[in-house]
Amino acid sequence: VKTIAVVSAKGGVGRTTLCANLGAALSRQGRAVLSLDMDPQNAIGLHTGLPIGATDGLARATLANRDWLSACVETSDALVLPHGVLDEADQAAFEVRLLAEPELLKQKLAGMGLADDALVIIDAASGPSAYLRQALIAADLVLVVTLPDAASYATLPVTTRLVETHCSARADFVGTSYVINQVDNSRGLGKDVMRVLLGTLGSHISQVHRDESVCEAMASQQLVLDYEPTSMATRDIDACALLLSERLPSTLKETQ
Ligand SMILES: Nc1ncnc2c1ncn2[C@@H]1O[C@H](COP(=O)(O)OP(=O)(O)OP(=O)(O)O)[C@@H](O)[C@H]1O
Ligand SMILES: [Mg+2]
């Protein structure tokens, strides 16, 4: 099992959208995928068509000492594990668990009996938190989502430091990849920031263009991949999934 933590220092950059769609894209490229929501906003179901109002998820399962598989929902693509909805007291109790057991997510994943070549893609709550820390500790690869604007660029060092703290020392840590989301080549200012980003982020960069079909897909609670299969965003997401898959090759293929 290989784990991708999808992270961003700033909120609202498209992390959940990308996590849900990349999970499905990886699945359609032949990988066994678990899309896991490590964000109390519990938003992954909005993209993957989970029933609205459902409250079960990994948080409730943890507090009830239930297996995480029991909270998974099987979709036509990935297995989806929502965070779920808790009342305030239970959410606080869950956060206490996360702080006390930094490897809880990693251990729960190891105990789920996922296929050897499975990929887990995690939507990690934005900004430093117990949720993000759990995701980083479990991650084989970190996918940083950023917008092509100065504010996002300014927050990148926060993420870099957290990756250095929680990931870089592990010999088997694969590294960091970046997605620049909502790229809009018609905007002059965006172009300047793009040039800086492409110059500083290293070689593992994908771009996803700003595309109306992303918002429309979310409004109809569908993946962009399904809502508009020929859209620019769908093509970009497919390409990004391929790059991720190349960095985390299936162990099955190697032995065939
Ligand atoms: N490539 C894109 N083109 C157009 N709109 C996009 C794109 N990516 C994301 N969006 C829109 O941006 C908004 C925020 O996306 P999303 O909820 O995925 O962000 P997030 O980073 O998960 O936010 P949060 O920090 O609140 O969890 C949504 O309305 C989504 O439809
Ligand atoms: Mg989100």
Side-chain angles (χ1 to χ4, degrees):
V1 177
K2 296 285 183 205
T3 302
I4 303 167
V6 184
V7 311
S8 66
K10 262 167 61 80
V13 298
R15 214 181 43 255
T16 305
T17 305
L18 290 175
C19 190
N21 281 280
L22 284 170
L26 286 162
S27 159
R28 291 171 197 193
Q29 290 167 13
R31 303 296 294 260
V33 176
L34 168 65
S35 297
L36 186 148
D37 188 358
M38 200 59 181
D39 184 336
Q41 288 189 73
N42 191 43
I44 211 153
L46 294 178
H47 300 268
T48 50
L50 301 193
I52 298 177
T55 56
D56 198 22
L58 57 86
R60 207 169 272 268
T62 304
L63 292 180
N65 288 316
R66 265 168 41 221
D67 191 285
W68 278 16
L69 264 186
S70 69
C72 288
V73 181
E74 212 170 325
T75 70
S76 53
D77 297 298
L79 201 58
V80 177
L81 179 51
H83 173 283
V85 182
L86 298 176
D87 64 27
E88 211 179 324
D90 281 347
Q91 194 71 50
F94 182 54
E95 284 182 25
V96 168
R97 284 285 298 274
L98 296 180
L99 287 167
E101 300 168 49
E103 301 208 345
L104 186 131
L105 169 60
K106 191 184 170 99
Q107 286 162 357
K108 290 284 187 185
L109 284 177
M112 285 178 78
L114 298 171
D116 279 351
D117 70 325
L119 287 176
V120 182
I121 186 159
I122 303 175
D123 180 2
S126 64
S129 70
Y131 303 93
L132 175 60
R133 177 139 58 100
Q134 291 276 339
L136 290 175
I137 288 172
D140 294 293
L141 186 151
V142 174
L143 181 65
V144 179
V145 182
T146 181
L147 301 182
D149 64 25
S152 300
Y153 179 70
T155 63
L156 286 173
V158 176
T159 309
T160 308
R161 271 198 299 278
L162 287 168
V163 171
E164 273 164 13
T165 305
H166 298 294
C167 308
S168 302
R170 279 184 271 126
D172 58 352
F173 179 64
V174 173
T176 304
S177 295
Y178 294 87
V179 190
I180 308 175
N181 188 29
Q182 304 207 22
V183 172
D184 184 347
N185 291 325
S186 67
R187 292 169 69 213
L189 188 63
K191 272 188 202 161
D192 289 340
V193 180
M194 279 299 295
R195 217 169 295 127
V196 175
L197 286 172
L198 293 173
T200 52
L201 296 182
S203 49
H204 299 285
I205 310 177
S206 305
Q207 297 183 33
V208 176
H209 289 85
R210 185 197 298 272
D211 188 332
E212 276 307 304
S213 62
V214 176
C215 304
E216 292 167 12
M218 192 174 164
S220 62
Q221 300 196 16
Q222 282 184 347
L223 297 165
V224 194
L225 270 55
D226 291 326
Y227 179 81
E228 199 61 85
T230 58
S231 67
M232 181 109 91
T234 296
R235 253 187 295 147
D236 292 340
I237 287 163
D238 278 335
C240 179
L242 275 178
L243 288 178
L244 291 172
S245 211
E246 275 169 21
R247 288 198 89 182
L248 298 170
S250 164
T251 44
L252 287 183
K253 274 189 195 139
E254 280 165 20
T255 54
Q256 263 169 16

